[in-house]
Short mmCIF file of all heavy atoms in Angstrom, two decimals:
data_model
loop_
_atom_site.label_atom_id
_atom_site.label_comp_id
_atom_site.label_asym_id
_atom_site.label_seq_id
_atom_site.Cartn_x
_atom_site.Cartn_y
_atom_site.Cartn_z
N GLY A 320 3.55 16.83 -13.70
CA GLY A 320 3.14 15.41 -13.41
C GLY A 320 1.61 15.34 -13.62
O GLY A 320 0.87 16.34 -13.36
N GLU A 321 1.15 14.13 -13.95
CA GLU A 321 -0.32 13.96 -14.12
C GLU A 321 -0.96 13.67 -12.75
O GLU A 321 -1.02 12.57 -12.31
CB GLU A 321 -0.54 12.87 -15.12
CG GLU A 321 0.08 13.25 -16.48
CD GLU A 321 0.23 12.08 -17.46
OE1 GLU A 321 -0.23 10.93 -17.13
OE2 GLU A 321 0.74 12.32 -18.49
N LEU A 322 -1.41 14.72 -12.10
CA LEU A 322 -1.76 14.63 -10.67
C LEU A 322 -3.18 15.19 -10.33
O LEU A 322 -3.42 15.44 -9.16
CB LEU A 322 -0.75 15.59 -9.91
CG LEU A 322 0.75 15.23 -10.11
CD1 LEU A 322 1.66 16.38 -9.60
CD2 LEU A 322 1.11 13.95 -9.28
N SER A 323 -4.06 15.25 -11.29
CA SER A 323 -5.30 15.96 -10.97
C SER A 323 -6.58 15.15 -11.21
O SER A 323 -7.68 15.59 -10.95
CB SER A 323 -5.43 17.20 -11.84
OG SER A 323 -5.27 16.82 -13.16
N ASN A 324 -6.47 13.94 -11.72
CA ASN A 324 -7.75 13.29 -12.06
C ASN A 324 -8.62 12.76 -10.86
O ASN A 324 -9.83 12.49 -11.02
CB ASN A 324 -7.55 12.16 -13.04
CG ASN A 324 -7.22 12.78 -14.38
OD1 ASN A 324 -6.07 13.14 -14.68
ND2 ASN A 324 -8.26 12.99 -15.20
N PHE A 325 -8.06 12.87 -9.64
CA PHE A 325 -8.81 12.61 -8.39
C PHE A 325 -9.96 13.72 -8.26
O PHE A 325 -10.86 13.53 -7.57
CB PHE A 325 -7.93 12.60 -7.18
CG PHE A 325 -7.32 13.91 -6.85
CD1 PHE A 325 -8.05 14.90 -6.09
CD2 PHE A 325 -6.03 14.15 -7.17
CE1 PHE A 325 -7.50 16.11 -5.78
CE2 PHE A 325 -5.49 15.42 -6.93
CZ PHE A 325 -6.14 16.31 -6.14
N LEU A 326 -9.75 14.82 -8.94
CA LEU A 326 -10.76 15.87 -8.81
C LEU A 326 -12.12 15.44 -9.38
O LEU A 326 -13.17 15.97 -9.01
CB LEU A 326 -10.32 17.10 -9.66
CG LEU A 326 -9.09 17.79 -9.05
CD1 LEU A 326 -8.51 18.86 -10.13
CD2 LEU A 326 -9.36 18.46 -7.69
N ASP A 327 -12.14 14.41 -10.22
CA ASP A 327 -13.41 13.88 -10.67
C ASP A 327 -14.08 12.87 -9.80
O ASP A 327 -15.18 12.35 -10.08
CB ASP A 327 -13.17 13.21 -12.16
CG ASP A 327 -12.95 14.28 -13.19
OD1 ASP A 327 -13.41 15.40 -13.06
OD2 ASP A 327 -12.29 13.90 -14.18
N MET A 328 -13.46 12.54 -8.74
CA MET A 328 -14.01 11.49 -7.87
C MET A 328 -15.06 12.19 -6.95
O MET A 328 -14.95 13.27 -6.59
CB MET A 328 -12.93 10.76 -6.95
CG MET A 328 -12.22 9.74 -7.78
SD MET A 328 -10.78 9.16 -6.93
CE MET A 328 -11.51 8.19 -5.52
N SER A 329 -16.12 11.41 -6.57
CA SER A 329 -17.17 12.01 -5.68
C SER A 329 -16.74 12.14 -4.29
O SER A 329 -17.32 12.91 -3.52
CB SER A 329 -18.49 11.20 -5.84
OG SER A 329 -18.16 9.90 -5.38
N ASP A 330 -15.77 11.41 -3.88
CA ASP A 330 -15.21 11.54 -2.43
C ASP A 330 -13.90 10.74 -2.43
O ASP A 330 -13.39 10.29 -3.50
CB ASP A 330 -16.18 10.82 -1.54
CG ASP A 330 -15.99 11.27 -0.03
OD1 ASP A 330 -15.05 12.06 0.18
OD2 ASP A 330 -16.77 10.85 0.81
N ASP A 331 -13.20 10.71 -1.29
CA ASP A 331 -11.94 10.04 -1.25
C ASP A 331 -11.76 9.49 0.14
O ASP A 331 -12.62 9.63 0.99
CB ASP A 331 -10.73 11.01 -1.63
CG ASP A 331 -9.68 10.29 -2.31
OD1 ASP A 331 -9.06 9.29 -1.75
OD2 ASP A 331 -9.36 10.65 -3.49
N LEU A 332 -10.62 8.77 0.39
CA LEU A 332 -10.44 8.11 1.59
C LEU A 332 -9.65 8.88 2.71
O LEU A 332 -9.61 8.50 3.79
CB LEU A 332 -9.75 6.81 1.44
CG LEU A 332 -10.40 5.61 0.72
CD1 LEU A 332 -9.59 4.37 0.77
CD2 LEU A 332 -11.71 5.34 1.38
N ILE A 333 -9.00 10.00 2.24
CA ILE A 333 -8.09 10.57 3.16
C ILE A 333 -8.64 11.79 3.94
O ILE A 333 -9.59 12.31 3.48
CB ILE A 333 -6.73 11.03 2.45
CG1 ILE A 333 -6.92 12.17 1.52
CG2 ILE A 333 -6.09 9.85 1.73
CD1 ILE A 333 -5.55 12.62 0.87
N THR A 334 -8.08 12.01 5.10
CA THR A 334 -8.66 13.03 6.04
C THR A 334 -8.56 14.44 5.53
O THR A 334 -9.45 15.17 5.64
CB THR A 334 -8.04 12.94 7.46
OG1 THR A 334 -6.66 12.96 7.25
CG2 THR A 334 -8.39 11.64 8.16
N GLU A 335 -7.34 14.80 4.98
CA GLU A 335 -7.17 16.18 4.53
C GLU A 335 -6.95 16.08 3.02
O GLU A 335 -5.84 15.62 2.52
CB GLU A 335 -5.84 16.71 5.09
CG GLU A 335 -6.08 17.53 6.35
CD GLU A 335 -4.75 18.05 6.78
OE1 GLU A 335 -4.28 19.07 6.16
OE2 GLU A 335 -4.23 17.54 7.76
N PRO A 336 -7.88 16.69 2.28
CA PRO A 336 -7.80 16.56 0.80
C PRO A 336 -6.52 17.27 0.26
O PRO A 336 -5.98 18.22 0.82
CB PRO A 336 -9.03 17.27 0.26
CG PRO A 336 -9.80 17.67 1.43
CD PRO A 336 -9.05 17.40 2.70
N LEU A 337 -5.99 16.77 -0.80
CA LEU A 337 -4.83 17.34 -1.59
C LEU A 337 -5.43 18.65 -2.26
O LEU A 337 -6.59 18.63 -2.72
CB LEU A 337 -4.33 16.51 -2.67
CG LEU A 337 -3.80 15.10 -2.30
CD1 LEU A 337 -3.21 14.40 -3.49
CD2 LEU A 337 -2.70 15.18 -1.18
N THR A 338 -4.62 19.66 -2.31
CA THR A 338 -5.09 20.91 -2.88
C THR A 338 -4.13 21.34 -4.05
O THR A 338 -2.88 21.48 -3.77
CB THR A 338 -5.21 22.06 -2.03
OG1 THR A 338 -4.37 21.88 -0.86
CG2 THR A 338 -6.62 22.33 -1.50
#
Side-chain angles (χ1 to χ4, degrees):
E321 296 164 6
L322 300 164
S323 57
N324 287 84
F325 67 83
L326 294 169
D327 285 335
M328 285 171 64
S329 57
D330 200 358
D331 214 302
L332 291 184
I333 70 176
T334 50
E335 263 185 75
L337 302 183
T338 23

